[in-house]
Amino acid sequence: MEKLYAGLDIGGQSIKGVVLDTRGRVRRELSRVTPSSEGATAVLAVIGAVVRELSLAGAIASVGVGTPGGIDREGVIVGIAANISGWYGTRLGEEIATMAKAPCSVRNDGNIAAFAEWAVRGGRSRGLLFVGLGTGIGGGFIEDGRILGGRNDMALEIGHIVVEPWGRSCNCGVDGCSEAYASGPSIGRIATALGRGEEAMLGTLARTAAPAQSWLGSPLAARALSGELFNAHEVYEAYAAGDPLALAVDAIASEALARAISTALAMLAPDTVVIGGGVLAGSPHLVDRIAGLVPRYVYEDAWKHCGFEKARFAHKAGLLGAALYGASLVVDRSELLGLASRASESI
Ligand SMILES: [Zn+2]
């Protein structure tokens, strides 16, 4: 019987599932809304329905699961980042293994995406840093094929490296995190605040952008003044049209990311930095831009032999990475790398 590898990406907004066959083809893929406010039992019921639907493709050999926040080695949720009420303490790994009747491993979603990007590069990187730009900023580091997870898989929370002390408030309770300047929602909020002439708590990051008077004539600023709120997608649409406010917001986000990534370069010495996530769809130039800014913040040896690349699995690194990580529980390394390469051709 053909082997099938399932992957789940469980977040506060949605529960996504995918099944890959041995040829790396997506046999089934689906997404359901997470009933976040209804508690763990309701969320597990939706996960159960997703697993049942994935199982219609055939018998599942393994399940990999990515989810935000802290997860212990037994797959128990020990940190809350997904905004699901009553989620703490959920024995997610055990529950899903029972549902799927297959081995299951739960990891932090940034780590899972990093694993996918390592595998799709043929496992050649000795040290791969992944940075995912989305609703938040996630990260992961793979050394010789192994996830650097730290305590409860919480390592590489690159979105919570402070890049501007006394800066914008972050959801984590600290001020000045990179996520407060460069996540999708933050990019939108900064554009809104600057367009309206409000304080955006930019600190030294303001030096990287053109002065305020230059964007007063921008169409994006005019929309902000008329009461519109933006997301990153709209900011980058305006960026593509050369809007001066959007250019300023992009400069601020790039600078914040360059500072955070430089810290990671000094600590981990990766040979490859991969940038992905939904925000990058509208701003593919960020990869080169960040690579160009990094030399200002870290010594030459840390960046000189390091390549900066776009995620090959694009915004699907988390979901396909979950399936690949799950497969790594039951196949050997060469089979896994072949599967990753074939899966990348199918997206
Ligand atoms: Zn933070």
Side-chain angles (χ1 to χ4, degrees):
M1 195 167 51
E2 192 189 21
K3 277 188 183 162
L4 295 172
Y5 311 109
L8 296 173
D9 184 0
I10 300 174
Q13 311 278 324
S14 66
I15 295 164
K16 299 190 182 87
V18 72
V19 170
L20 293 179
D21 63 20
T22 49
R23 280 183 273 180
R25 290 179 308 193
V26 172
R27 292 282 289 270
R28 253 167 209 270
E29 185 176 349
L30 60 143
S31 179
R32 297 283 177 269
V33 173
T34 309
S36 304
S37 57
E38 292 168 36
T41 309
V43 174
L44 285 170
V46 174
I47 294 169
V50 168
V51 170
R52 274 195 301 281
E53 211 165 321
L54 295 177
S55 304
L56 295 175
I60 288 170
S62 62
V63 193
V65 183
T67 194
I71 304 111
D72 78 6
R73 289 185 182 238
E74 275 72 52
V76 180
I77 302 292
V78 291
I80 299 297
N83 255 336
I84 299 170
S85 73
W87 199 226
Y88 190 92
T90 301
R91 308 185 70 82
L92 194 57
E94 216 174 278
E95 296 274 2
I96 294 173
T98 307
M99 290 169 187
K101 300 180 191 70
C104 171
S105 182
V106 185
R107 303 297 303 250
N108 174 276
D109 52 2
N111 294 341
I112 285 272
F115 184 80
E117 293 295 328
W118 168 82
V120 77
R121 284 166 178 75
R124 280 181 291 273
S125 170
R126 294 289 310 278
L128 181 143
L129 171 69
F130 173 80
V131 183
L133 311 176
T135 313
I137 296 179
F141 189 79
I142 308 297
E143 185 171 47
D144 290 333
R146 213 177 64 83
I147 291 173
L148 184 76
R151 179 176 52 81
N152 294 333
D153 232 20
M154 293 281 288
L156 276 301
E157 288 290 350
I158 200 160
H160 301 291
I161 291 177
V162 171
V163 295
E164 190 60 47
W166 301 285
R168 293 176 70 81
S169 302
C170 180
N171 290 329
C172 75
V174 172
D175 294 338
C177 295
S178 68
E179 188 167 300
Y181 295 96
S183 70
S186 297
I187 287 170
R189 281 188 209 116
I190 290 172
T192 306
L194 294 180
R196 290 177 181 170
E198 292 169 359
E199 172 60 53
M201 304 294 284
L202 300 178
T204 61
L205 288 169
R207 292 181 203 167
T208 65
Q213 56 271 22
S214 70
W215 66 67
L216 288 179
S218 103
L220 193 67
R223 285 164 62 191
L225 278 170
S226 73
E228 241 187 279
L229 302 173
F230 306 122
N231 55 32
H233 178 72
E234 289 152 337
V235 174
Y236 277 109
E237 263 178 2
Y239 177 91
D243 187 288
L245 173 58
L247 297 184
V249 174
D250 173 73
I252 292 158
S254 312
E255 189 74 16
L257 288 168
R259 291 182 186 181
I261 290 170
S262 296
T263 302
L265 291 188
M267 292 194 65
L268 298 162
D271 54 37
T272 311
V273 173
V274 177
I275 302 177
V279 170
L280 207 66
S283 58
H285 65 278
L286 275 177
V287 176
D288 289 337
R289 179 137 199 193
I290 291 164
L293 290 170
V294 155
R296 195 183 300 165
Y297 294 111
V298 69
Y299 53 88
E300 188 175 352
D301 217 24
W303 56 262
K304 198 171 177 184
H305 306 289
C306 181
F308 286 71
E309 300 177 9
K310 255 197 306 185
R312 295 204 190 150
F313 281 125
H315 62 285
K316 286 202 171 173
L319 183 58
L320 291 170
L324 293 171
Y325 188 75
S328 77
L329 304 174
V330 294
V331 304
D332 67 17
R333 178 178 163 127
S334 74
E335 207 175 325
L336 173 79
L337 298 178
L339 186 65
S341 149
R342 293 189 294 275
S344 72
E345 288 159 17
S346 74
I347 64 159

